[in-house]
Amino acid sequence: MGYEIRAEKGWVNRGNLYRIKELMKRAERGDRMTLAFLGGSITQGSVSSQYTNCYAYLVYDWFVRRFPKTAFTYVNAGVGGTTSQFGAARVDEDVLASKPDFVVIEFSVNDDNTDFYRETYEGLVRKVYGNAFAPAVLLVHNMYYDTGVSAEEKHREIGAHYHLPSVSMKPPIYAEVEAGAIDRRAFTPDDLHPNSEGHALLAEVITDCLDRIYSQRHEAEEPFPMPAPLTENAYEKAGRLQNHNSAPVCEGFSADNTLKKYVNDMFRGGWTASEQGAKICFEVEGTEIAVQYRKSVKHPAPVAIAVVDGNEEKAVVLDANFEEDWGDCLYIDTLAHHISPGAHRVEIRLTQTHADDAVPFYLVSIIKA
């Protein structure tokens, strides 16, 4: 592609570098390390020609080449179409279980630029930064390349509060697109997902930041302690209820016990139903409740409703018919936000089925916090 960018402009928040400097010193000694990348479809590598061309793998490769004495383990926990609300609920299983030494978090194009997602993002950041293994954390902010829209404003408030190094693609890449210096069609086919050349640009911005930190690695820096939360912080203890860790009352719903094969094999561990009137009931502890289900590109599909504490007037419709064409969607509807602490009853029941339904209703999980 041949475009030159000012990669150094991407490092938008220096943050506290103690953990990442210590990581680099350990890597020079040859300690074994795990590098994890958590985010949406961009982190997963969508549109790149092969997995080794995605930005996450290219950043992993920077570590491999920079520190040849160290054996690095690569963990790509990107799942397309998902937000930091889901990230906070799954990070324990998909990232922290591997005891990572370094974690990249990327959700700025999946979250909306609202206070709700500032809070879910903070819960995710606190889970990772506060983990007992004290990983180094780097925040990455992408955007839509036709509009510049993203949740970067709210996410950067969190990054600044926790003094975390943050990298944005807006100053080095999007600004060049706006100025006409870069043709966005050369690196993204849909104004969002980078192709292989686009992933190389993202990796260049991130590794430029890492190069600069590497050059400062022997400069003394004190660790930054965990501050008090910036938001109400309801999502720091978020988790998921699936069929292996819950016992809902089922009438017409059946558990799916198909083995999950890989991190983005997400339509697993839930429950299915096909008959109108089928229902499933959970008792959920917490102040935050969301339902995660499959929206399918195969039509027709069933429709359900979700009711919290018997309040039918505030029932949420769960329509499994997906109107996009890029594939089945792992969809989340928030049922309750900042409600009273304690036990709450969640009932999901099928209200509309069709004789020719292409797929059953698939309930993936209940997210609680």
Side-chain angles (χ1 to χ4, degrees):
M1 184 168 56
Y3 287 122
E4 292 187 5
I5 60 172
R6 296 281 302 278
E8 71 277 7
K9 290 185 175 182
W11 191 2
V12 291
N13 186 53
R14 180 186 185 276
N16 180 277
L17 303 181
Y18 174 81
R19 288 192 185 182
I20 198 164
K21 287 180 178 180
E22 291 300 305
L23 171 89
M24 290 179 175
K25 292 174 188 176
R26 289 173 50 215
E28 285 184 312
R29 295 196 298 266
D31 292 2
R32 296 183 64 88
M33 291 190 180
T34 296
L35 313 177
F37 300 81
L38 177 67
S41 55
I42 295 176
T43 293
Q44 184 179 329
S46 294
V47 185
S48 62
S49 59
Q50 57 188 28
Y51 81 93
T52 54
N53 289 335
C54 80
Y55 89 84
Y57 191 89
L58 295 173
V59 172
Y60 156 78
D61 188 59
W62 178 91
F63 277 95
V64 171
R65 290 182 289 104
R66 174 65 77 179
F67 304 105
K69 291 182 180 180
T70 292
F72 291 99
T73 298
Y74 172 64
V75 175
N76 189 320
V79 176
T82 63
T83 64
S84 65
Q85 182 182 18
F86 182 37
R90 72 182 178 92
V91 67
D92 295 289
E93 175 185 355
D94 292 345
V95 173
L96 299 179
S98 65
K99 301 178 182 178
D101 301 275
F102 176 72
V103 180
V104 169
I105 299 175
E106 177 269 322
F107 280 108
S108 292
V109 293
N110 296 67
D111 286 0
D112 294 327
N113 196 41
T114 63
D115 288 344
F116 174 80
Y117 284 108
R118 180 177 65 165
E119 183 172 358
T120 62
Y121 189 74
E122 178 172 41
L124 170 59
V125 166
R126 286 183 69 88
K127 266 194 171 187
V128 177
Y129 188 72
N131 182 260
F133 292 95
V137 178
L138 177 68
L139 306 181
V140 171
H141 309 302
N142 288 300
M143 78 291 304
Y144 284 83
Y145 286 98
D146 55 343
T147 63
V149 167
S150 76
E152 181 175 331
E153 176 192 359
K154 298 296 184 182
H155 287 183
R156 282 178 63 176
E157 290 178 18
I158 300 301
H161 185 68
Y162 290 89
H163 290 214
L164 294 174
S166 305
V167 171
S168 171
M169 303 305 154
K170 188 168 284 189
I173 302 178
Y174 179 69
E176 295 297 304
V177 170
E178 276 198 307
I182 295 180
D183 175 10
R184 67 177 185 269
R185 278 295 165 269
F187 69 90
T188 173
D190 60 2
D191 298 319
L192 173 60
H193 299 97
N195 56 21
S196 292
E197 290 78 8
H199 276 278
L201 286 179
L202 268 60
E204 182 181 345
V205 175
I206 296 168
T207 57
D208 178 84
C209 173
L210 294 173
D211 278 328
R212 292 171 185 276
I213 297 172
Y214 179 79
S215 70
Q216 304 172 29
R217 68 192 183 282
H218 295 303
E219 296 175 10
E221 195 149 351
E222 295 298 317
F224 184 73
M226 176 75 85
L230 186 65
T231 70
E232 291 191 40
N233 190 41
Y235 286 86
E236 185 176 355
K237 296 182 180 180
R240 291 206 295 161
L241 299 178
Q242 291 198 287
N243 62 40
H244 65 87
N245 64 354
S246 64
V249 176
C250 298
E251 297 179 22
F253 274 79
S254 300
D256 171 23
N257 294 312
T258 307
L259 182 66
K260 181 178 176 179
K261 297 179 180 178
Y262 38 83
V263 69
N264 58 356
D265 184 20
M266 297 307 306
F267 300 111
R268 297 286 182 263
W271 301 262
T272 61
S274 301
E275 299 298 324
Q276 186 168 323
K279 66 180 181 179
I280 183 170
C281 299
F282 298 81
E283 186 172 285
V284 179
E285 289 276 347
T287 66
E288 317 298 310
I289 305 172
V291 59
Q292 186 178 49
Y293 63 102
R294 178 179 64 192
K295 277 186 174 288
S296 178
V297 295
K298 298 177 181 178
H299 298 177
V303 178
I305 62 170
V307 179
V308 176
D309 294 333
N311 191 341
E312 299 281 343
E313 290 185 358
K314 293 187 177 180
V316 176
V317 176
L318 314 176
D319 187 345
N321 295 278
F322 194 38
E323 300 306 324
E324 301 287 345
D325 59 5
W326 49 261
D328 288 356
C329 176
L330 188 68
Y331 198 79
I332 295 178
D333 267 317
T334 298
L335 306 181
H337 179 48
H338 292 170
I339 59 174
S340 60
H344 299 277
R345 185 175 186 271
V346 179
E347 178 181 292
I348 297 168
R349 63 179 184 268
L350 266 59
T351 57
Q352 183 181 344
T353 59
H354 316 85
D356 58 343
D357 273 336
V359 293
F361 185 85
Y362 198 107
L363 172 64
V364 181
S365 75
I366 298 293
I367 294 176
K368 66 180 184 69

